[in-house]
């Protein structure tokens, strides 16, 4: 069972405006009450904030209606004392690559939220994990690919490279939405495969935070090191698209290569 990776860690508040949020409505803020003002000397109605550079623990997480990950902050003590809810974007590192929990298959719906497809063939259900991606939204990756991905991230960090996922597993419905937008030439929609045929539906594909081809530090690091961890390029023209294919990666690594034949 994969639990939240944040539970045993200490985080540092980086934002000088780390406002506390209302427990019942994370889009509203907690303010200083009259009683608190009298005892602390604060002003009634001021926003309550966690001080910058404060060290905190995280007791739990919620995904807000705006897609932002909110954390239940507590003092960095034993036992920790709850402080309140705040945005994960207020923390140093902004919670990137923190695991929020597992998503279990609930049925055998071939078009359901955990259904995997490859080349138009239904491949069964996948257990997924929610993880905070590079643009601070929650992405999903398969549980079976998680250990390899985290090893890749850790190795990159040792080389001062921050790796994060921009897009991982996609549901059938998500791929259908992207395909319809592409097919109808809607603004903001890029090229997308038909639902059931996207590489992002089989559970091995990762769009990473790569800014370009050779010369981009992250791409250069992945080119040299990705295959050693089972990751290779499989799609032409997309330097950000890497897939976890350990057997093929081992063969390519032995030849000093990082992408499938014909991929440019």
């Amino acid at each position: 069972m994969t639990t939240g990776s944040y539970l045993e860690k200490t985080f540092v508040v980086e934002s000088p405006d780390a406002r506390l949020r209302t427990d019942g409505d994370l889009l509203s803020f907690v303010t200083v009450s009259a009683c608190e003002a009298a005892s602390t000397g604060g002003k009634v109605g001021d926003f309550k904030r966690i001080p910058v550079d404060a060290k905190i623990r995280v007791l739990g997480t919620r995904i807000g209606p705006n897609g932002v990950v909110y954390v239940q902050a507590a003092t960095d003590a034993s036992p920790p004392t709850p402080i309140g809810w705040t945005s994960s974007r207020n923390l140093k590192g902004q919670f990137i690559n923190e695991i929020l929990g597992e998503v279990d298959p609930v049925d055998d719906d071939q078009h359901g939220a955990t259904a995997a497809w490859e080349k138009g063939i239904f491949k069964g259900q996948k257990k997924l994990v929610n993880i905070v991606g590079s643009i601070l939204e929650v992405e999903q990756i398969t549980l079976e690919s998680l250990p390899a991905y985290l090893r890749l991230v850790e190795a990159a960090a040792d080389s001062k490279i921050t790796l994060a996922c921009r897009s991982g597993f996609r549901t059938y419905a998500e791929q259908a939405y992207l395909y319809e937008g592409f097919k109808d030439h809607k603004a903001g929609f890029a090229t997308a495969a038909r639902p059931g045929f996207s590489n992002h539906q089989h559970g091995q594909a990762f769009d990473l935070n790569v800014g370009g081809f050779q010369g981009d530090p992250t791409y250069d690091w992945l080119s040299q090191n990705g295959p050693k961890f089972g990751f290779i390029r499989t799609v032409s023209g997309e330097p950000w698209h890497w897939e976890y294919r350990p057997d093929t990666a081992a063969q390519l690594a032995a030849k000093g290569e990082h992408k499938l034949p014909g991929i440019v």
Side-chain angles (χ1 to χ4, degrees), residues 29-213:
F29 301 105
V30 178
T31 56
V32 175
S33 68
C35 292
E36 291 169 324
S39 62
T40 64
K43 292 174 59 178
V44 175
D46 281 354
F47 295 124
K48 296 180 72 171
R49 297 175 173 86
I50 306 175
V52 66
D53 294 329
K55 293 182 179 179
I56 67 165
R57 300 288 295 274
V58 173
L59 304 181
T61 61
R62 293 181 191 165
I63 303 172
N66 51 4
V68 173
V69 177
Y70 294 96
V71 300
Q72 186 183 23
T75 58
D76 184 27
S78 183
T81 301
I83 299 171
W85 290 89
T86 194
S87 171
S88 62
R89 300 181 182 189
N90 293 324
L91 307 182
K92 186 176 182 180
Q94 299 180 308
F95 233 51
I96 287 176
N97 284 321
E98 293 297 335
I99 301 162
L100 306 185
E102 293 183 6
V103 179
D104 292 321
V106 294
D107 53 38
D108 202 39
D109 182 359
Q110 294 189 10
H111 296 163
T114 59
W117 287 74
E118 187 170 14
K119 298 179 180 178
I121 300 172
F122 173 60
K123 305 295 288 186
Q125 304 293 333
K126 296 283 187 178
K127 180 172 281 193
L128 307 175
V129 293
N130 289 328
I131 191 168
V132 181
S134 62
I135 59 173
L136 308 183
E137 294 182 349
V138 177
E139 301 294 339
Q140 292 186 320
I141 62 178
T142 59
L143 181 62
E144 61 192 8
S145 66
L146 177 64
Y149 172 72
L150 294 180
R151 287 194 293 270
L152 183 74
V153 167
E154 183 177 1
D158 289 341
S159 298
K160 310 301 181 185
I161 298 290
T162 300
L163 269 185
C165 182
R166 284 181 8 197
S167 182
F169 181 84
R170 291 184 198 151
T171 68
Y172 196 96
E174 288 170 337
Q175 191 62 37
Y177 170 76
L178 294 174
Y179 177 69
E180 290 301 318
F182 160 67
K183 187 179 66 173
D184 295 340
H185 306 288
K186 292 182 179 179
F189 285 80
T191 302
R194 285 183 293 153
F197 289 82
S198 170
N199 289 339
H200 284 275
Q201 290 184 259
H202 54 55
Q204 296 166 282
F206 294 74
D207 283 351
L208 301 173
N209 56 327
V210 177
F213 288 95

Side-chain angles (χ1 to χ4, degrees), residues 212-220 223:
F213 288 95
Q214 187 174 3
D216 176 81
T218 304
Y219 182 82
D220 290 344
S223 300

